[in-house]
Amino acid sequence: MAILQKTREKAGLAVSIIIALALLSFIIDPGTLESAFQAMSSRNDVGNINGKAIPYTDFQQDVERFTTINEMVTGQSAQTEQQQQQIRNAAWQSLIDKYLFSKKAKAAGIRVGKEEMQALLTGDMVSPIISNNPAFQDENGNFSKDAVKNLINGISQDNTGRLKEYWNYIQNTVYTQQFYAKYGSLFTSSNFQNPLMLKRAIAENNNTTKVDFVMVPMSFQQDSTVKVSDAEIKKYYDDHKKLFKQQDSRDIEYVVYEVQPSDADVEAANKAIADVYEEFQTTSKEDMKSFLAKNSERALSDYWYKSGELTTVNKDINDFIFSNQEGASPIVKADNVFYTARVMATVQIPDSAYVKHILLQGNDASKADSLLAALKGGENFSNLASQYSADARSAEDGVQGNVGWLTQNLMIPGFESVLTAKTGEPFILKTQYGTHIVEVEKKTAPIAKKQVAILEKTAVASSETFNQYFSKASKLAVLAKGGYKNYRAAVDTLGAYSHPMSNVLESTSTYGTISNAKEVTRWAFDNKAGKVSDIITVDNKYFFVVAVTGVHKEGTADLKEVSGAIRQQLYAEKASKKEAEKVADKIKGISDLQTIADTLHASLSTDVDVRFASMAGQGLDPKFIGAASVAPEGKLCGPLAGTIGTYIYTVKSRDTGSFYTEEDAKNNLAQMNSYASQMILPVMINDADVKDHRAKFY
């Protein structure tokens, strides 16, 4: 395990986490029974990848394995939801690689052989995944094959099996990344731009069309004479079904009661802080930590505050502390929280210090005294850091050993004393990373800072208050039972506010400002449209009553769900054509654009440059840009039914510039190749119809 410890230690100051029934009759049909069991089983699947069902139990085993690897590398357990989510994503990505990407890559004829893997792991073409791993670097930060061999040799002596798990993970990662590298190279290399294509790309991007035009904007007023039939909507729907793919989602309405402390609860908190106020004023610095642990919601902090920083707690507290008044501040209240504070110490210290160090680990720690003496004797700090420091990564400004500027908010644990240490005098410091020889090279100007004790009490709802809110939610839930109509009637009767929310996904866990509300989502997905929930409690503070108003199944949306949007689009197209016909009648026989503009009560735009190769960002209708780019010069064209209006225009000239160069064309191709490479996996996932239902379980 010393090797893993070395990984954590060498990551040290810049930790890098490695971190995508049927009903039974007298005779049961075997096919029916199999289908029934499959349906039951699929409810316990976190997803399906390329036809492979992923049971929750199997996925959870992978999550636990990745959690173990994370702990081995970082020396820490994943505590936050964000860290746990990252681990679950890594586990899911490994399954995508295993069951989808690797199979597709092999089907394309790509292989990664044994000799190739040997070269990638310990040979002459070592993978960056290994060479950049701190566990496999020497004291100078250079890749060491011996370090790799030491880990491999240590596997047989590791009774826990963790080293083997870690090495297997590294091998699998190297193996998979080699497939990605080869597949990506194969894909991008096939996107070849020959000289003719290159010449055309340059020409197209250097062509500018100069246009004069009149545009009549579309009317926002609905035209009742423009009709869209159900048959037209159905035809459009049938012809464009790919446009109507959707995720599994729900439409809901909900009423939520937030438990707030009553006036009596607020007064109780006020009394609680007032009862210990006098003791807070007289408690010694030595006893303040235990006093606050017993009486305050905020522990004693070692942080040194400068003027203004305490406004994040409370402005009145900040103003009192930095007006140099004695004793404890008056008790102040903000958002049902009561505060008082007093100064425990005052110093003149800088905001930041520029620090350099030599890190000694293991047996090398015994060299600390002799190296300190050498430095005091005039030896160059950087030279000694290059020779002896285990931290090869600290080389700020290109100088070995330089950590750089440290502040209270950006501080190596254990280095806090550098802010008060003397400049230019090296000293020995011990931290969790090892023994350091530290020197403060320079500091910012010292300013007055204060260490502050803050007594804080928040008014919380009593059990009586809690029950009052629960009673309100219960009354709504009882009246709403039976379905959505009852829910609406109950909302109206009680004067409650019902929050509508459309397209709730299985991953949704936040409703308004309320987080951790995944239970609401789970209920919505387990029930049909029209159903109303009992009370759903979130964080023991919020009471939800929820009604499902719509169910959208994954796949192609039903016609009735999208008919409104289709009707609107078809109406816009028809209205645009009709408007163009009206314009044509009004300007019939007129050939002068200014006269046309006057007739239509519109403005004339002149000498407008249009580039077809760069539609984005011109602020013009794409239909107009396309038409103008191919229209003959000097001829009155239109009316053109555009997306936002009707156009009548004349192309005055076409100019060929030289601002778009061969280098621009090649850079554009490189960008397109990069984008295409990034889309390889998403396209594969879409093509394989990968189902990700992890949100049901986490």
Side-chain angles (χ1 to χ4, degrees), residues 98-115:
K98 179 179 179 180
Y99 294 120
L100 178 59
F101 181 78
S102 293
K103 288 187 175 182
K104 295 289 186 182
K106 289 176 181 177
I110 296 173
R111 298 290 183 271
V112 178
K114 291 183 179 179
E115 292 184 0

Side-chain angles (χ1 to χ4, degrees), residues 76-236:
Q76 299 176 348
S77 299
Q79 298 294 333
T80 68
E81 174 58 30
Q82 182 180 7
Q83 290 172 322
Q84 292 170 1
Q85 181 63 43
Q86 289 173 347
I87 290 171
R88 290 195 292 267
N89 288 343
W92 180 254
Q93 182 62 48
S94 73
L95 294 173
I96 292 285
D97 293 339
K98 179 179 179 180
Y99 294 120
L100 178 59
F101 181 78
S102 293
K103 288 187 175 182
K104 295 289 186 182
K106 289 176 181 177
I110 296 173
R111 298 290 183 271
V112 178
K114 291 183 179 179
E115 292 184 0
E116 184 177 358
M117 278 297 294
Q118 186 68 31
L120 288 166
L121 295 171
T122 58
D124 297 328
M125 48 181 281
V126 174
S127 167
I129 292 169
I130 292 180
S131 61
N132 292 335
N133 189 327
F136 305 133
Q137 294 174 352
D138 61 21
E139 61 275 7
N140 296 317
N142 300 317
F143 170 65
S144 170
K145 290 184 181 179
D146 290 337
V148 179
K149 293 176 182 177
N150 289 339
L151 185 143
I152 296 172
N153 293 334
I155 291 175
S156 60
Q157 303 171 18
D158 176 28
N159 295 328
T160 68
R162 290 163 72 89
L163 273 184
K164 183 178 181 180
E165 186 84 63
Y166 182 52
W167 180 240
N168 286 341
Y169 166 75
I170 290 175
Q171 291 182 93
N172 289 335
T173 304
V174 170
Y175 181 74
T176 302
Q177 289 305 311
Q178 191 67 358
F179 273 113
Y180 271 103
K182 290 185 175 183
Y183 197 99
S185 177
L186 179 68
F187 195 87
T188 55
S189 296
S190 66
N191 189 15
F192 176 71
Q193 188 178 54
N194 61 38
L196 182 61
M197 296 165 66
L198 180 64
K199 183 178 179 181
R200 180 177 177 180
I202 295 171
E204 287 180 345
N205 281 277
N206 278 318
N207 285 341
T208 301
T209 302
K210 195 172 290 293
V211 185
D212 291 350
F213 68 90
V214 175
M215 192 271 279
V216 180
M218 285 290 295
S219 173
F220 290 105
Q221 188 173 0
Q222 195 78 6
D223 187 344
S224 60
T225 65
V226 177
K227 305 292 184 182
V228 178
S229 69
D230 291 343
E232 288 174 315
I233 294 173
K234 178 68 164 59
K235 184 178 185 309
Y236 186 91

